[in-house]
Coordinates of all heavy atoms in Angstrom, one line a residue:
A1 N 68.7 -2.8 27.5 CA 67.7 -3.8 27.1 C 68.1 -5.2 27.6 O 67.3 -6.0 28.2 CB 67.4 -3.8 25.6
L2 N 69.3 -5.6 27.4 CA 69.8 -6.9 27.8 C 69.9 -7.0 29.3 O 69.7 -8.1 29.9 CB 71.1 -7.2 27.2 CG 71.1 -7.4 25.6 CD1 72.5 -7.7 25.1 CD2 70.1 -8.5 25.2
A3 N 70.2 -5.9 30.0 CA 70.2 -5.9 31.5 C 68.8 -6.1 32.0 O 68.6 -6.9 33.0 CB 70.8 -4.6 32.0
A4 N 67.8 -5.4 31.4 CA 66.4 -5.6 31.8 C 66.0 -7.1 31.6 O 65.3 -7.6 32.4 CB 65.5 -4.6 31.0
E5 N 66.5 -7.6 30.5 CA 66.1 -9.0 30.2 C 66.6 -10.0 31.2 O 66.0 -10.9 31.7 CB 66.7 -9.4 28.8 CG 66.1 -10.7 28.2 CD 67.1 -11.9 28.4 OE1 68.3 -11.6 28.7 OE2 66.7 -13.0 28.3
G6 N 67.9 -9.7 31.7 CA 68.5 -10.6 32.7 C 67.8 -10.4 34.0 O 67.5 -11.4 34.8
I7 N 67.5 -9.1 34.4 CA 66.9 -8.9 35.7 C 65.4 -9.3 35.8 O 65.0 -10.0 36.7 CB 67.1 -7.4 36.1 CG1 68.5 -7.0 36.2 CG2 66.3 -7.0 37.4 CD1 68.8 -5.5 36.3
F8 N 64.6 -8.9 34.8 CA 63.2 -9.0 34.9 C 62.7 -10.3 34.2 O 61.6 -10.7 34.5 CB 62.5 -7.8 34.3 CG 62.8 -6.5 34.9 CD1 63.5 -5.5 34.2 CD2 62.4 -6.2 36.2 CE1 63.9 -4.3 34.8 CE2 62.7 -5.1 36.8 CZ 63.5 -4.1 36.1
A9 N 63.5 -10.9 33.4 CA 62.9 -12.0 32.6 C 63.7 -13.3 33.0 O 63.1 -14.3 33.5 CB 63.0 -11.8 31.1
F10 N 65.0 -13.4 32.7 CA 65.7 -14.6 32.9 C 65.7 -15.1 34.3 O 65.6 -16.2 34.7 CB 67.1 -14.5 32.3 CG 67.9 -15.8 32.3 CD1 67.6 -16.7 31.4 CD2 68.9 -16.0 33.3 CE1 68.3 -17.9 31.3 CE2 69.6 -17.2 33.3 CZ 69.3 -18.2 32.3
A11 N 65.9 -14.1 35.2 CA 65.9 -14.4 36.7 C 64.6 -15.0 37.1 O 64.5 -15.9 37.9 CB 66.3 -13.2 37.5
L12 N 63.5 -14.4 36.6 CA 62.1 -14.8 36.9 C 61.9 -16.3 36.4 O 61.5 -17.2 37.1 CB 61.1 -13.9 36.3 CG 59.6 -14.3 36.5 CD1 59.2 -14.2 38.0 CD2 58.7 -13.3 35.7
E13 N 62.3 -16.5 35.1 CA 62.1 -17.8 34.5 C 62.9 -18.9 35.2 O 62.4 -19.9 35.6 CB 62.4 -17.7 33.0 CG 62.1 -18.9 32.2 CD 62.4 -18.7 30.8 OE1 63.1 -17.7 30.4 OE2 62.0 -19.6 30.0
S14 N 64.2 -18.6 35.3 CA 65.1 -19.6 35.9 C 64.8 -19.8 37.4 O 65.0 -20.9 37.9 CB 66.6 -19.3 35.6 OG 66.9 -18.0 36.2
G15 N 64.4 -18.8 38.1 CA 64.1 -18.9 39.5 C 63.0 -19.8 39.8 O 63.1 -20.6 40.8
F16 N 61.9 -19.8 39.0 CA 60.8 -20.6 39.3 C 60.9 -21.9 38.5 O 60.1 -22.8 38.7 CB 59.5 -19.9 38.9 CG 59.0 -18.9 39.9 CD1 59.4 -17.5 39.8 CD2 58.2 -19.3 40.9 CE1 58.9 -16.6 40.7 CE2 57.7 -18.4 41.9 CZ 58.1 -17.0 41.8
L17 N 61.9 -22.1 37.7 CA 62.0 -23.3 36.9 C 62.3 -24.5 37.8 O 61.8 -25.6 37.6 CB 63.1 -23.2 35.9 CG 63.3 -24.4 34.9 CD1 62.1 -24.5 34.0 CD2 64.6 -24.2 34.0
G18 N 63.1 -24.3 38.9 CA 63.4 -25.3 39.8 C 62.1 -25.9 40.5 O 62.0 -27.1 40.7
I19 N 61.2 -25.0 40.9 CA 60.0 -25.4 41.5 C 59.1 -26.1 40.4 O 58.5 -27.1 40.7 CB 59.2 -24.2 42.0 CG1 60.0 -23.4 43.1 CG2 57.9 -24.6 42.6 CD1 59.4 -22.2 43.6
L20 N 59.1 -25.6 39.2 CA 58.3 -26.2 38.2 C 58.8 -27.7 38.0 O 57.9 -28.6 37.8 CB 58.5 -25.4 36.9 CG 57.8 -26.0 35.6 CD1 56.3 -25.9 35.8 CD2 58.2 -25.3 34.4
I21 N 60.1 -27.9 37.9 CA 60.6 -29.3 37.6 C 60.6 -30.2 38.8 O 60.1 -31.3 38.7 CB 62.0 -29.2 37.0 CG1 62.0 -28.3 35.7 CG2 62.6 -30.5 36.8 CD1 63.4 -28.1 35.2
F22 N 61.1 -29.7 40.0 CA 61.2 -30.5 41.1 C 60.2 -30.3 42.2 O 60.3 -30.9 43.3 CB 62.7 -30.3 41.7 CG 63.8 -30.5 40.7 CD1 64.5 -29.4 40.2 CD2 64.1 -31.7 40.2 CE1 65.5 -29.6 39.3 CE2 65.1 -31.9 39.3 CZ 65.8 -30.8 38.8
G23 N 59.3 -29.4 42.0 CA 58.3 -29.1 43.1 C 57.2 -30.0 43.3 O 56.5 -29.9 44.3
W24 N 57.0 -30.9 42.4 CA 55.9 -31.9 42.6 C 56.1 -32.6 43.9 O 57.1 -33.1 44.2 CB 55.8 -32.9 41.5 CG 55.5 -32.4 40.1 CD1 56.3 -32.1 39.1 CD2 54.2 -32.0 39.7 NE1 55.6 -31.6 38.0 CE2 54.3 -31.5 38.4 CE3 52.9 -32.0 40.3 CZ2 53.2 -31.0 37.6 CZ3 51.8 -31.5 39.5 CH2 52.0 -31.0 38.3
N25 N 55.0 -32.7 44.7 CA 55.0 -33.4 46.1 C 55.9 -32.6 47.1 O 56.1 -33.1 48.2 CB 55.5 -34.8 45.9 CG 54.7 -35.6 44.9 OD1 53.4 -35.4 44.8 ND2 55.3 -36.4 44.2
R26 N 56.4 -31.4 46.7 CA 57.2 -30.6 47.7 C 56.6 -29.3 48.0 O 56.8 -28.8 49.1 CB 58.6 -30.4 47.1 CG 59.5 -31.7 47.0 CD 60.9 -31.3 46.5 NE 61.8 -32.5 46.6 CZ 61.9 -33.4 45.6 NH1 61.1 -33.3 44.5 NH2 62.7 -34.4 45.7
V27 N 55.8 -28.8 47.1 CA 55.0 -27.6 47.4 C 53.5 -27.9 47.0 O 53.2 -28.9 46.4 CB 55.5 -26.4 46.5 CG1 56.9 -26.1 46.8 CG2 55.3 -26.7 45.0
G28 N 52.6 -27.1 47.5 CA 51.2 -27.3 47.2 C 50.9 -27.1 45.8 O 51.6 -26.5 45.0
P29 N 49.7 -27.6 45.3 CA 49.4 -27.5 43.9 C 49.2 -26.1 43.4 O 49.6 -25.7 42.3 CB 48.0 -28.3 43.8 CG 47.5 -28.3 45.2 CD 48.8 -28.4 46.1
R30 N 48.7 -25.2 44.3 CA 48.6 -23.8 43.9 C 50.0 -23.1 43.7 O 50.1 -22.3 42.8 CB 47.7 -23.0 44.8 CG 46.3 -23.5 44.9 CD 45.4 -22.7 45.8 NE 44.0 -23.3 45.9 CZ 43.1 -23.1 45.0 NH1 43.3 -22.4 43.9 NH2 41.9 -23.7 45.1
V31 N 50.9 -23.4 44.6 CA 52.2 -22.8 44.5 C 52.9 -23.3 43.3 O 53.6 -22.6 42.5 CB 53.0 -23.2 45.8 CG1 54.5 -22.7 45.6 CG2 52.5 -22.5 47.0
H32 N 52.7 -24.6 42.9 CA 53.3 -25.2 41.7 C 52.7 -24.5 40.5 O 53.4 -24.2 39.5 CB 53.1 -26.7 41.7 CG 53.9 -27.3 40.6 ND1 53.5 -27.5 39.3 CD2 55.2 -27.9 40.7 CE1 54.5 -28.1 38.6 NE2 55.5 -28.3 39.4
F33 N 51.4 -24.3 40.5 CA 50.7 -23.6 39.4 C 51.2 -22.2 39.2 O 51.5 -21.7 38.1 CB 49.2 -23.6 39.6 CG 48.5 -23.0 38.5 CD1 48.6 -23.4 37.2 CD2 47.5 -22.0 38.7 CE1 47.9 -22.9 36.1 CE2 46.8 -21.5 37.7 CZ 47.0 -21.9 36.4
L34 N 51.5 -21.5 40.4 CA 52.1 -20.2 40.3 C 53.5 -20.2 39.7 O 53.8 -19.3 38.9 CB 52.1 -19.6 41.7 CG 52.8 -18.2 41.8 CD1 52.0 -17.2 41.1 CD2 53.0 -17.8 43.3
S35 N 54.3 -21.2 40.0 CA 55.6 -21.3 39.4 C 55.5 -21.5 37.9 O 56.3 -21.0 37.1 CB 56.4 -22.5 40.1 OG 55.9 -23.7 39.7
T36 N 54.5 -22.3 37.5 CA 54.3 -22.5 36.0 C 54.0 -21.2 35.3 O 54.5 -20.9 34.3 CB 53.2 -23.6 35.8 OG1 53.4 -24.7 36.5 CG2 53.0 -23.9 34.3
I37 N 53.1 -20.4 35.9 CA 52.8 -19.1 35.4 C 54.0 -18.2 35.3 O 54.2 -17.5 34.3 CB 51.6 -18.5 36.2 CG1 50.3 -19.3 36.0 CG2 51.4 -17.0 35.7 CD1 49.2 -18.8 36.9

């Protein structure tokens, strides 16, 4: 269960977190919205 959490959840959340925080004016609005989702 914890391995699945790390692979499918934490990696997804932390991977897109950088775009969410620093992606303004660096990626398009739709890509940024996708990162938020």
Side-chain angles (χ1 to χ4, degrees):
L2 294 181
E5 192 259 345
I7 295 171
F8 300 113
F10 188 75
L12 177 66
E13 186 177 13
S14 58
F16 280 94
L17 185 64
I19 301 176
L20 177 69
I21 298 173
F22 304 109
W24 293 104
N25 305 321
R26 291 180 174 86
V27 299
R30 296 185 185 277
V31 174
H32 192 274
F33 182 52
L34 175 64
S35 71
T36 306
I37 294 173

